[in-house]
Amino acid sequence: MNISSRFAVAIHILSVLEMNKAGISTSDYIAESVNTNPVVIRRIVGMLSKAGLVEVKPGVAGAKLAKHPAEITLLDIYHAVHVVQEDSLFSIHENSDAKCPVGKHIQTAIVPVFSAAQKAMENTLHEVSLEEIIRNIYASANGTLNEN
Amino acid sequence: MNISSRFAVAIHILSVLEMNKAGISTSDYIAESVNTNPVVIRRIVGMLSKAGLVEVKPGVAGAKLAKHPAEITLLDIYHAVHVVQEDSLFSIHENSDAKCPVGKHIQTAIVPVFSAAQKAMENTLHEVSLEEIIRNIYASANGTLNEN
DNA sequence: CTAGCATGTAACCATCATAGTTACATTACA
DNA sequence: TGTAATGTAACTATGATGGTTACATGCTAG
């Protein structure tokens, strides 16, 4: 089990919006770069829009970033696309037997640890901005220029 | 999407093995505490056995911890039950369009960040031992003694 | 002002992981 | 030797996901 590729695709989309900000990024255009269906793009863009990360209007072609890339963290994107519902990365087995001491208290015992682990992961995402990702893309592109 | 409850159940199982080490913990016995089917328990115990965390033999009733609880970390358990295949918590969208600079380099740009986030989470799990979980269970049990 | 294009979304499908369940073979021990 | 427990295969139901078609809504250019 792993985290939905929506997250990676969302980062991809936002990177396209920034790097193509001189042009018009329609869902068809983005879909080509991501290599998927335009509806998939529109779905994710819709989520990013609801989260206030992009601006898009029905009928008018193209989406734009709603903020500067430095002000968008990967955690913002992560939350926007709902890769994890209700902030519970780990699922706990409900309905343990309350007659057993382990069953009765296991939940209380592990929830704080799961929460800490999730927070540690999210903190890492919080420390990285879209701008840094885009810098990485440019760096990677420069590093492979002679390959092209 | 969230991480399989196998992880939480595995912790539950190991806690039962330790706290009931004076008795015999059969899959039926454990299943009652977890409130699930004995086969589910046997499946997970099998994984824990392959990982060298428990000792169990066909035909002989009950499983035992193979190590001291202080020497079993939550990360060990996490890996044992394969909640994440191939150590890839985050999935990346393959087959991006190589003709687009974003599509060509997005993967290189985000993989290190995803890896760091995953590592941060796993480090947290690595810092917590089964022994601490069991202490938490006892603490929780003591804190609610007057409720019973 | 209308025709065409783009977004928004519903609906459906195939795929996959999961948890639960039944059934049965294998193995130990009393 | 027979009972009981583990090990597993096989099947089912469920839920999330990504892809796809279809269509309603809404701009905007000509």
Side-chain angles (χ1 to χ4, degrees):
Chain A
M1 180 54 52
N2 45 20
I3 288 174
S4 164
S5 71
R6 274 203 308 276
F7 184 32
V9 172
I11 298 172
H12 190 149
I13 291 172
L14 295 173
S15 301
V16 168
L17 294 191
E18 172 66 15
M19 292 171 68
N20 185 44
K21 63 180 163 186
I24 298 177
S25 301
T26 66
S27 59
D28 278 66
Y29 173 86
I30 304 171
E32 203 162 310
S33 172
V34 177
N35 192 31
T36 184
N37 193 288
V39 176
V40 173
I41 301 298
R42 290 204 287 272
R43 270 205 284 250
I44 297 178
V45 167
M47 291 178 174
L48 296 171
S49 168
K50 278 202 184 98
L53 301 184
V54 308
E55 283 169 357
V56 59
K57 284 191 217 114
V60 42
K64 297 283 180 188
L65 289 185
K67 303 179 181 182
H68 190 276
E71 290 169 340
I72 298 177
T73 74
L74 293 201
L75 184 60
D76 295 331
I77 306 171
Y78 173 87
H79 282 145
V81 296
H82 303 120
V83 293
V84 157
Q85 70 276 38
E86 289 184 16
D87 284 328
S88 55
L89 175 62
F90 298 90
S91 41
I92 51 181
H93 190 83
E94 313 280 349
N95 315 330
S96 293
D97 183 10
K99 294 191 300 296
C100 166
V102 181
K104 188 174 174 65
H105 301 289
I106 183 74
Q107 205 158 318
T108 310
I110 63 179
V111 161
V113 178
F114 281 3
S115 179
Q118 178 176 346
K119 278 282 178 300
M121 186 268 281
E122 294 181 353
N123 283 344
T124 303
L125 296 182
H126 183 67
E127 293 305 314
V128 180
S129 69
L130 178 61
E131 191 173 47
E132 291 172 67
I133 295 295
I134 291 169
R135 265 205 300 270
N136 283 359
I137 295 175
Y138 281 127
S140 175
N142 287 334
T144 59
L145 271 186
N146 36 2
E147 292 178 12
N148 296 340
Chain B
M1 180 54 54
N2 45 22
I3 286 174
S4 164
S5 70
R6 272 203 308 276
F7 185 31
V9 172
I11 298 172
H12 190 148
I13 291 172
L14 296 173
S15 301
V16 168
L17 294 191
E18 171 65 15
M19 291 171 68
N20 184 44
K21 63 180 163 185
I24 298 177
S25 302
T26 66
S27 60
D28 278 65
Y29 173 85
I30 303 171
E32 202 162 311
S33 173
V34 177
N35 192 32
T36 184
N37 193 289
V39 175
V40 173
I41 301 299
R42 290 204 286 271
R43 270 206 284 253
I44 298 178
V45 167
M47 291 178 172
L48 297 171
S49 168
K50 277 201 184 99
L53 301 184
V54 308
E55 283 169 357
V56 58
K57 285 193 214 111
V60 42
K64 296 284 180 187
L65 289 186
K67 303 179 181 182
H68 189 276
E71 291 170 339
I72 298 177
T73 73
L74 293 201
L75 184 60
D76 294 332
I77 306 172
Y78 173 87
H79 282 146
V81 296
H82 303 119
V83 293
V84 157
Q85 71 276 41
E86 288 183 17
D87 284 328
S88 56
L89 176 62
F90 298 90
S91 41
I92 51 182
H93 189 82
E94 311 281 350
N95 315 330
S96 293
D97 183 10
K99 294 191 301 298
C100 167
V102 181
K104 189 174 174 63
H105 302 288
I106 184 73
Q107 204 157 318
T108 309
I110 63 179
V111 161
V113 178
F114 281 2
S115 179
Q118 178 176 345
K119 278 284 180 299
M121 186 268 281
E122 294 180 353
N123 283 343
T124 303
L125 297 182
H126 184 67
E127 293 305 314
V128 180
S129 69
L130 177 62
E131 189 173 50
E132 290 172 67
I133 295 296
I134 291 169
R135 266 205 301 269
N136 283 0
I137 294 175
Y138 280 127
S140 175
N142 287 335
T144 59
L145 272 187
N146 37 4
E147 291 177 13
N148 296 342

